[in-house]
């Protein structure tokens, strides 16, 4: 009878340890997903800044031809 109690206590301990590992695994996965989401958000923000800068440059650039240089005197 005593051996069954020890075996039951061992299985219960093992079950608790396994569930603890599962919790750690779930937390680790959630942290990885959060880090990936932050990286994607940063990349999207960087792209938005690049597109905005290109739009501002296109909107403010002049479409006029640059002035032609004055002719050089000949000798």
């Amino acid at each position: 009878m005593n051996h069954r109690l020890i075996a039951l206590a061992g299985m219960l301990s093992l079950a608790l340890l396994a569930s603890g590992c599962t919790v750690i695994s779930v937390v680790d996965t959630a942290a990885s997903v959060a880090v990936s989401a932050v990286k994607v958000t940063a990349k999207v923000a960087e792209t938005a800044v690049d597109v905005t800068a290109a739009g501002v440059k296109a909107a403010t650039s002049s479409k006029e031809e640059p002035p032609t240089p004055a002719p050089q005197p000949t000798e």
Side-chain angles (χ1 to χ4, degrees):
M1 184 75 169
N2 197 13
H3 295 292
R4 287 185 181 175
L5 185 58
I6 292 173
L8 181 60
M11 287 189 294
L12 182 60
S13 298
L14 185 62
L16 289 174
L17 287 175
S19 67
C21 290
T22 303
V23 169
I24 290 171
S25 177
V26 169
V27 169
D28 183 48
T29 302
S32 296
V33 169
V35 168
S36 296
V38 169
K39 286 181 181 179
V40 168
T41 303
K43 190 64 176 172
V44 168
E46 179 184 357
T47 302
V49 168
D50 291 344
V51 168
T52 303
V56 169
K57 184 177 179 182
T60 58
S61 66
S62 175
K63 295 191 188 244
E64 297 175 9
E65 293 291 323
T68 55
Q72 299 295 323
T74 57
E75 294 183 25

